[in-house]
């Protein structure tokens, strides 16, 4: 709340909303004092310099303490003039504040404002339904602020009720728009464009504005990932149809590289095998350790009676269990038996 109030005060100060109210009250003060001196007898202390400013303040504010007051009809008419001037001043002031707040809200909804954040996440691009799910997944795991930077055809903030979300709209490849979204101060950027050509153009602009941010790009055609490496070797490309992978890469940089290696020909791959019938009783820790030492493999999970489990280290494995492991090649029953033989 203090941050919001300080930002609002700065904006109101730049808008100079106070100039007209200040002019009105100053004019009333300058004109009412000589009139009060003329209307009131000199014996009334209300006309003195050290007293009149106080009487003027409480009267214009319609408080009226009564410690000083005019005694003549003319002085009371001056008092009415001061009261009306104070009401006009306060009405003008509050009207201008309300208008400024309403304009600020409108700019926020329409994406015209500058975001004053640092170390935040910027999502560049908006797809109805998909972007909402991405933001919900991201905010569920991370308390950092998120800025949604959408194209010009998104007229208003599509998620006004989302806590911790700022909205900016405009040409996604325009440097000034990315600056308004705070890309130059962002820690992470997710480029989720409408097509791969737009994604490439936006990536060029984003890496120009902030070459150090962890940038993740979603692609329909992963074969074009090489083009993005020409822009910046540190840009991470993930499959557009796997939004969960995009959020994982944002949270834990490098996961996309691991997945890409697992899914590429010649890299490490995932395999499954049923435990050999001739295998003596064994627990999960033994399998993990022996296969890791002998074949540089990592057992990911065990399936038993249709259920995938991640057992504890000392959990005995039933004879019908199926292992799922990551390795350089598929292991035969003979290799598994030989590695586990006493």
């Amino acid at each position: 709340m203090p941050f919001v109030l300080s930002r609002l005060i700065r904006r109101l100060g730049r808008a100079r909303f106070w100039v007209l109210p200040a002019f009105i009250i100053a004019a009333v003060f300058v004109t009412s004092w000589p009139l009060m001196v003329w209307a009131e007898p000199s014996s009334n202390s209300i006309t003195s310099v050290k007293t009149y400013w106080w009487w003027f303040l409480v009267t214009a504010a319609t408080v009226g303490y009564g410690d000083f007051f005019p005694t003549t009809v003319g002085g009371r008419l001056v008092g009415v003039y001061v009261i009306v001037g104070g009401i006009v001043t306060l009405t003008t002031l509050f009207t201008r504040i309300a208008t400024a707040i309403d304009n600020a809200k409108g700019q926020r909804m329409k994406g015209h404002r500058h975001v004053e954040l640092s170390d935040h996440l910027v999502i560049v691009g908006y797809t109805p339904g998909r972007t909402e799910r991405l933001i919900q997944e991201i905010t569920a795991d991370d308390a950092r602020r998120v800025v949604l930077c959408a194209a010009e055809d998104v007229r208003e903030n599509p998620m006004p009720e989302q806590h911790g979300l700022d909205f900016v709209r405009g040409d996604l490849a325009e440097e000034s728009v990315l600056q308004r979204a705070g890309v130059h101060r962002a820690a992470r950027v997710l480029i989720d464009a409408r097509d791969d050509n737009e994604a490439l153009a936006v990536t060029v602009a984003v890496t120009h504005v902030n070459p150090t941010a962890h940038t993740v790009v979603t692609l329909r055609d992963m074969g074009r990932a090489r083009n993005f490496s020409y822009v910046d070797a540190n840009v991470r490309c993930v499959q557009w149809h796997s939004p969960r992978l995009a959020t994982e890469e944002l949270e834990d940089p490098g996961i996309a590289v691991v997945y890409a290696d697992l899914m590429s020909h010649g890299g490490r791959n995932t395999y499954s095998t049923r435990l050999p019938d001739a295998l003596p009783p064994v627990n999960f820790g033994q399998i993990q350790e022996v296969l890791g030492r002998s074949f540089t493999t990592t057992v990911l999970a065990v399936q038993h009676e249709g259920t995938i489990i991640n057992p504890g280290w000392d959990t005995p494995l039933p004879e019908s269990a199926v292992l799922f492991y990551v390795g350089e090649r598929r292991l035969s029953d003979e290799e598994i038996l030989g590695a586990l033989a006493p």
Side-chain angles (χ1 to χ4, degrees):
M1 183 60 71
F3 171 74
V4 174
L5 289 176
S6 64
R7 187 168 61 181
L8 178 61
I9 291 172
R10 288 199 302 270
R11 288 178 179 172
L12 292 176
R14 290 196 296 266
R16 296 185 178 276
F17 75 101
W18 46 267
V19 173
L20 181 58
F23 175 79
I24 293 173
I25 199 66
V28 174
F29 180 82
V30 171
T31 55
S32 65
W33 192 1
L35 290 174
M36 185 64 75
V37 172
W38 172 77
E40 287 294 309
S42 58
S43 59
N44 191 345
S45 60
I46 194 174
T47 60
S48 66
V49 177
K50 63 180 181 179
T51 303
Y52 185 78
W53 71 269
W54 170 249
W55 175 86
F56 179 87
L57 178 63
V58 297
T59 303
T62 68
V63 176
Y65 283 118
D67 47 356
F68 302 100
F69 53 88
T71 58
T72 65
V73 174
R76 290 167 184 162
L77 290 175
V78 174
V80 172
Y81 169 58
V82 171
I83 292 173
V84 172
I87 293 174
V88 171
T89 300
L90 292 175
T91 302
T92 304
L93 178 63
F94 293 146
T95 300
R96 290 192 159 224
I97 291 176
T99 301
I101 293 175
D102 187 62
N103 290 338
K105 181 180 179 180
Q107 287 186 345
R108 184 170 65 252
M109 284 295 297
K110 295 182 182 298
H112 294 156
R113 57 188 293 268
H114 286 262
V115 174
E116 299 175 2
L117 296 174
S118 299
D119 198 32
H120 57 291
L121 165 66
V122 180
I123 298 178
V124 185
Y126 173 74
T127 302
R130 170 186 171 87
T131 305
E132 283 83 352
R133 291 194 300 271
L134 283 171
I135 292 176
Q136 288 173 359
E137 288 188 10
I138 291 170
T139 55
D141 297 332
D142 195 340
R144 294 188 188 185
R145 294 289 293 266
V146 177
V147 177
L148 173 59
C149 185
E152 292 178 321
D153 56 357
V154 183
R155 297 299 181 184
E156 290 188 350
N157 186 352
M159 303 177 65
E161 74 289 346
Q162 178 67 44
H163 176 71
L165 176 69
D166 292 274
F167 175 65
V168 172
R169 58 182 285 265
D171 184 347
L172 300 183
E174 177 65 38
E175 181 177 352
S176 62
V177 175
L178 298 177
Q179 293 276 358
R180 284 199 290 115
V183 169
H184 55 299
R185 296 188 299 267
R188 296 168 296 171
V189 179
L190 172 61
I191 300 174
D192 195 50
R194 290 167 291 193
D195 56 63
D196 291 353
N197 291 328
E198 182 182 60
L200 182 57
V202 173
T203 301
V204 172
V206 167
T207 54
H208 170 69
V209 173
N210 188 346
T212 62
H214 177 54
T215 303
V216 180
V217 186
T218 60
L219 296 179
R220 276 76 169 176
D221 180 8
M222 287 299 293
R224 304 187 65 179
R226 182 186 297 272
N227 297 334
F228 290 79
S229 67
Y230 298 151
V231 177
D232 190 326
N234 294 320
V235 171
R236 295 289 179 254
C237 297
V238 300
Q239 177 61 247
W240 188 89
H241 299 288
S242 301
R244 180 57 186 171
L245 178 56
T247 59
E248 288 180 353
E249 175 61 30
L250 284 171
E251 296 296 329
D252 301 291
I255 284 183
V257 176
V258 175
Y259 282 140
D261 181 70
L262 291 176
M263 292 184 291
S264 63
H265 179 71
R268 298 176 66 83
N269 209 340
T270 53
Y271 303 95
S272 68
T273 184
R274 186 178 297 276
L275 289 178
D277 294 335
L279 189 68
V282 65
N283 59 39
F284 180 73
Q286 289 176 286
I287 286 286
Q288 186 73 274
E289 181 177 1
V290 170
L291 296 187
R293 289 181 180 275
S294 303
F295 306 105
T296 320
T297 64
T298 301
V299 180
L300 301 176
V302 177
Q303 183 184 47
H304 178 57
E305 296 180 351
T307 302
I308 302 295
I309 61 175
N310 186 15
W313 195 259
D314 297 323
T315 302
L317 298 183
E319 295 180 359
S320 58
V322 177
L323 302 181
F324 292 87
Y325 59 95
V326 177
E328 297 176 349
R329 59 182 178 83
R330 189 182 301 277
L331 302 178
S332 66
D333 289 354
E334 291 75 15
E335 288 176 316
I336 297 175
L337 288 170
L340 291 168

